[in-house]
Amino acid sequence: MKRPVFLGIAILIGVYVFFSCLDWNGTYGGQRELWLIERDFKNKVQDKETPTSYELEKIAKHFRHYVKKHSKTRLAARAQLSVGQVYMIKKDFIQARIEFAKVSQIYAKDKEFLAQAEANIAETYKSEDNWPDALRVLQGIIKQYPLTPTGFSIPIYIAKYYEVRGYKTEALESFERAAAFYTDLAQKNPKKPLEFDSLRMIVYCRLAQSRWSDALNALREMILKFPTGSVLNESLQVINNIAVMKLHDYDRAISIYNEFLMKHPKHPATDVVKRMLAGLNSLKKTGTLISTKPL
Amino acid sequence: MSRINSPFPILRATANLLTSHKKILYPSLFLLFVNLLVLEFLYFIPHFPLKIFFGPLIEKIWGESYLYYPLDLVLLPKLFYYAQMVVYFAIGSFLLGVTVHMVNAANNEERLSFKNSVTKTLPVYLNIFLASVVSFILFQVVNFFLGLLVFRAGSITSVSPLAVGIKKLIIVGAPYVQFIFGLLVTIILAYLTPVIVLERKKIAQSIALNLKTLFSSFWLTVTIVVIPTIFYLPILLIRNNIGVLVYKTIPEVQIAVIALSVIATVIINMFIMTSTTLFYLYKKDMQ
């Protein structure tokens, strides 16, 4: 009885040791170690009482130790970003910028990390009420890393900065520049997910600018090229709202829907589109005008 | 031979048999070993070199983040659930059949041999497999109605205290109701494997004989099945609160909970199978 039990346990231990040895130089152990430090950091920040300077220094020390141990790796770059964030919480923005700048020396292969480091530098300037320097850094990200998730979101971020603070002219100009940026990306990346994302951003910009006709054009392009999932339903709804309530031009929506049915006759959404067409035709026939509501 | 009206003589006899004939534990120990080996293997999927083969599959189905710590451990229970089903259909149910054979041999005071019992049970492998399929289908059918109930509860929009209370009761209580359904299925098919192994009958005849045996001593069977299963409740409680446990400790605690759950399940199933087999043999002797 004892022998088979011991044999089973020995095999289980042996398999564990075998696979652990194979992954000796792998990143899994490093991922775990970093996650535990990050959790500690997150817990300290989430505590109701603000972490003391000593506690933050201690966390920074752990991250630095990690960076040293796993130098020149992707995970080390992530840890270095966290070092900068610790100093941001400490409101030591100068030190935070120094730490963020180190990311490129640790791991320059991942452009997203570099873009994130730069975006964090911009955030430190913003926290110091130094928008011109923040803007300079943000524009640098757009130029250097336009295809990273962070770089992709920056043009909208800048425009929203102005919009939220009520700088209407600057906001409109920024949305215009953002729309131009996304149009360029969409044209350079046809049939790729990036084109879809860019078209969505163009719609967002045009809606923010109240340029309804341009928004309809972008939506038309989007649903004809990428008729996918919940975004399609959402887009159809927005097309209806713009055509009926903003432009009072039923023909625009009717023409888009007819084009959709011709291009995608077997699409699961054809019934919905047909119902929408019937509704629009009926409204058009009776000449009903639906009053404008804010979108 | 006196008539048995209480489950305790049966449960006592089961405990005695398992302690005096430890070889009966072999099939369950082997099943436990296979399950733990599978768990270990699944744990190492996000590690080199298994990641090379399985990484793309996981990435495609669940997303890349599930290949990294700690989300890989969130996916582990799900992966293990699927793997456990395969193990159960392929060898788990068969090994329970082997246990039945060994219990019968011990009851007849024959020499116990794991190898011999495997050889003797092998001809009825297909029927045992079909029995596990029947049990699975039955459980899924019952579970389907529970799913409908939970879905309906989820769509309750009323904010009245009664409606909120009912909604909460159904959603929070669903895993426990599922547990009771599992228990019901085990009770309904309690004698199926013993009948297949000992009587060598085909699946339809075995189901009929199983039901006949069950309804001739329904409450006794219920208690024989329920008493050992109660020991699984603390584990169910832990499993349902795994999020809190992970938050308070480390994500690896999931592995320990899965392992604990496997150990408990295998032991409980073995105990139930031994008890029902002994009771079935007793009833046969009485006739």
Side-chain angles (χ1 to χ4, degrees), chain B residues 214-255:
Chain B
L214 171 71
F215 290 118
S216 65
S217 341
F218 184 74
W219 290 111
L220 202 63
T221 309
V222 169
T223 44
I224 285 174
V225 175
V226 168
I227 292 171
T229 313
I230 286 171
F231 290 97
Y232 190 75
L233 275 177
I235 293 165
L236 188 67
L237 201 72
I238 296 172
R239 285 191 81 153
N240 290 337
N241 294 290
I242 192 75
V244 182
L245 200 62
V246 167
Y247 182 74
K248 300 247 177 199
T249 55
I250 50 168
E252 280 83 349
V253 80
Q254 302 232 43
I255 306 167

Side-chain angles (χ1 to χ4, degrees), chain A residues 1-2 4-5 7-9 11-17 19-20 22-23 26-29 31-33 35-36 39 43 46 74 78, chain B residues 22-23 25-26 29 32-33 36-37 40-41 43-44 46-51 67-70 72-73 246-252:
Chain A
M1 176 70 188
K2 279 180 189 167
V5 172
L7 187 68
I9 294 171
I11 292 173
L12 290 173
I13 294 172
V15 169
Y16 183 84
V17 172
F19 279 117
S20 300
L22 285 180
D23 195 31
T27 58
Y28 194 80
Q31 287 168 33
R32 184 178 182 276
E33 200 183 333
W35 185 83
L36 290 172
R39 185 176 73 166
N43 287 347
Q46 278 175 351
R74 213 171 171 272
R78 197 169 107 190
Chain B
K22 292 199 174 69
K23 279 191 177 173
L25 303 175
Y26 281 10
L29 283 177
L32 183 63
F33 168 74
L36 293 178
L37 198 65
E40 206 169 27
F41 184 81
Y43 167 72
F44 278 105
H47 300 237
F48 176 82
L50 296 181
K51 194 178 176 180
L67 281 171
Y68 298 102
Y69 187 88
D72 62 321
L73 296 174
V246 167
Y247 182 74
K248 300 247 177 199
T249 55
I250 50 168
E252 280 83 349

Side-chain angles (χ1 to χ4, degrees), chain A residues 19-82:
Chain A
F19 279 117
S20 300
C21 286
L22 285 180
D23 195 31
W24 192 254
N25 287 323
T27 58
Y28 194 80
Q31 287 168 33
R32 184 178 182 276
E33 200 183 333
L34 181 58
W35 185 83
L36 290 172
I37 307 171
E38 282 175 344
R39 185 176 73 166
D40 193 26
F41 178 35
K42 213 168 126 189
N43 287 347
K44 284 272 185 311
V45 173
Q46 278 175 351
D47 276 352
K48 278 176 189 164
E49 285 172 34
T50 321
T52 61
S53 179
Y54 171 74
E55 281 172 330
L56 289 170
E57 275 299 339
K58 211 172 141 189
I59 293 167
K61 198 178 153 192
H62 285 146
F63 278 124
R64 279 202 184 100
H65 177 72
Y66 185 90
V67 172
K68 210 172 163 187
K69 195 173 156 192
H70 300 268
S71 61
K72 307 287 174 194
T73 63
R74 213 171 171 272
L75 291 170
R78 197 169 107 190
Q80 185 58 40
L81 271 175
S82 298

Side-chain angles (χ1 to χ4, degrees), chain B residues 8 35 39 52 55-56 72 91 94 99 114 121 133-134 137 152 166 180 201 215 229 232 246 266 281:
Chain B
F8 297 108
N35 272 308
L39 177 63
I52 299 171
D72 62 321
I91 60 162
F94 173 71
T99 303
F114 178 54
T121 315
V133 172
V134 169
I137 291 171
R152 179 69 193 89
I166 291 172
I180 293 167
K201 288 190 190 297
F215 290 118
T229 313
Y232 190 75
V246 167
V266 168
L281 290 170

